[in-house]
Amino acid sequence: MTDDWLFPALRFAQYAVMLGLFGSLAFRMVGLQGLTPFLRPATGRVTMLATLAAPCITVAVMLVGIARMMGQAVGDLDGATITAMVMTTDMGTAFLARTALAAAAAAVLALVRPARRSQIIAAWLYALALLTLAWNGHAAASEGWPGLAHRLNDATHLLAAALWIGAIGWFSRLVWTAHRDPARIRPAPLLDVLHRFAPLGLALVAVVALTGTINAHFIFGIENSLAVLQTSYGWLLVAKLALVALMLGCAARHARAAAQSAGASGREPAMSRAGLAQLRASLVAELLLAGGVLGLTAFAGLAAPMAG
Ligand code: HEM
């Protein structure tokens, strides 16, 4: 069945575009203040394409998700079924809110000026759109107060992971430019900003790890970890943790490189071109690993955590 790959692929696209948009807009404001004069407006072609893609991908995820639940092909779905699922379930309400928030964010980025105001508003709209993701999937399965705690924990996981991805994306892009055209972005202030990012980076990793562990506890109970390894869900989670460990390895390397070059005197270059090229490669590797983590999560959210 084509839906076997289509649904996880769409879920991956939804994570990539939503986390990417929130992360890049929010990190630009909180993590790159020292570099504002070097930055172009956040309404470049790629960002604007992503803002248009976000609501379309959300609609596609919902339609393919409903078809999967009904055991039908997407083309066979009728209007009454779609309306019933969208209007009468929490999942449907979350979908409507997410689509509206993503569309509003796209309109704000395209129309509202000055750019800084539109970025702040759009970042908040995407944060709320990420929040709605916690009302789908495994986080939406628990009920009552534990259910609410699970969803809020999941939303915190998503926001922290998105900021982390935003940081890697920005630093990859800026180091790339500094290597290619040092007159446009001077390496010294960029490496200082990367160095100053270390405490925030550490805090984000801690929040992602803590909320991820709490997520796992809500879903299958940490005490059942060995039993979960009997399922493909468990192995998807193990693979995810392995990729996260590799991401941490890359992050530690960037922190060391930035610490060594931070505060270089104006007379000597902050980092050699070869050093910048290595840093760029390692940042891109971390970004690709983050993509792998999102891909595995897109599959894990559809797998059964317990056998039987
Ligand atoms: C120690 C690190 C981490 C742990 C223990 C962890 C654990 C988890 C768990 C158990 C879930 C629930 C999966 C499900 O629906 O069954 C989850 C969801 C998720 N995680 Fe992580 N994770 C970690 C790091 C990351 C990182 C680094 C990223 C991003 C690069 C990430 C992105 C996500 C996303 C997008 C979701 C889906 C949330 C949703 O759809 O509601 N996680 N994580």
Side-chain angles (χ1 to χ4, degrees):
M1 217 170 132
T2 49
D3 287 6
D4 285 349
W5 62 266
L6 182 60
F7 194 41
L10 285 170
R11 277 168 50 84
F12 165 76
Q14 177 171 251
Y15 286 145
V17 83
M18 288 290 191
L19 273 78
L21 281 166
F22 168 74
S24 67
L25 286 170
F27 188 74
R28 182 194 168 100
M29 287 180 290
V30 298
L32 295 179
Q33 273 133 359
L35 294 173
T36 315
F38 302 111
L39 302 179
R40 294 204 169 120
T43 44
R45 215 175 312 151
V46 176
T47 309
M48 294 317 286
L49 270 178
T51 63
L52 294 178
C56 303
I57 294 172
T58 303
V59 171
V61 168
M62 185 67 190
L63 290 177
V64 176
I66 293 175
R68 198 171 175 269
M69 261 184 270
M70 296 294 156
Q72 292 179 325
V74 187
D76 294 339
L77 282 176
D78 58 86
T81 309
I82 297 172
T83 310
M85 291 299 286
V86 171
M87 304 308 281
T88 62
T89 63
D90 285 355
M91 180 190 83
T93 310
F95 152 74
L96 283 180
R98 185 156 59 251
T99 310
L101 287 161
V108 164
L109 276 175
L111 303 174
V112 173
R113 293 293 173 268
R116 188 170 161 71
R117 183 183 305 155
S118 76
Q119 286 159 29
I120 294 174
I121 301 172
W124 277 106
L125 292 170
Y126 284 123
L128 292 174
L130 280 185
L131 193 80
T132 68
L133 282 173
W135 267 257
N136 295 115
H138 287 143
S142 22
E143 287 170 5
W145 286 109
L148 184 62
H150 188 173
R151 289 172 184 80
L152 292 180
N153 177 74
D154 193 48
T156 312
H157 188 67
L158 282 162
L159 291 172
L163 271 174
W164 186 359
I165 291 177
I168 315 166
W170 268 112
F171 285 126
S172 307
R173 182 173 159 187
L174 293 171
V175 170
W176 195 290
T177 311
H179 177 260
R180 207 189 44 206
D181 183 5
R184 198 159 93 65
I185 295 190
R186 286 186 296 115
L190 171 57
L191 291 165
D192 277 345
V193 171
L194 182 56
H195 180 49
R196 284 203 304 275
F197 168 64
L200 174 60
L202 216 62
L204 289 177
V205 169
V207 173
V208 166
L210 180 69
T211 50
T213 310
I214 297 175
N215 246 353
H217 187 61
F218 272 121
I219 293 170
F220 55 81
I222 291 292
E223 66 283 6
N224 298 317
S225 297
L226 280 180
V228 171
L229 285 182
Q230 316 287 324
T231 65
S232 51
Y233 178 86
W235 285 105
L236 285 167
L237 224 51
V238 169
K240 172 173 169 170
L241 290 183
L243 293 195
V244 173
L246 290 174
M247 285 177 74
L248 290 177
C250 292
R253 220 169 120 179
H254 311 144
R256 251 194 330 270
Q260 278 163 9
S261 20
S265 79
R267 276 174 288 117
E268 54 192 90
M271 190 181 267
S272 66
R273 266 182 72 75
L276 274 177
Q278 272 175 13
L279 185 59
R280 179 188 62 182
S282 166
L283 278 160
V284 171
E286 191 181 352
L287 196 56
L288 291 175
L289 287 165
V293 168
L294 295 184
L296 289 169
T297 309
F299 276 96
L302 299 175
M306 296 304 252

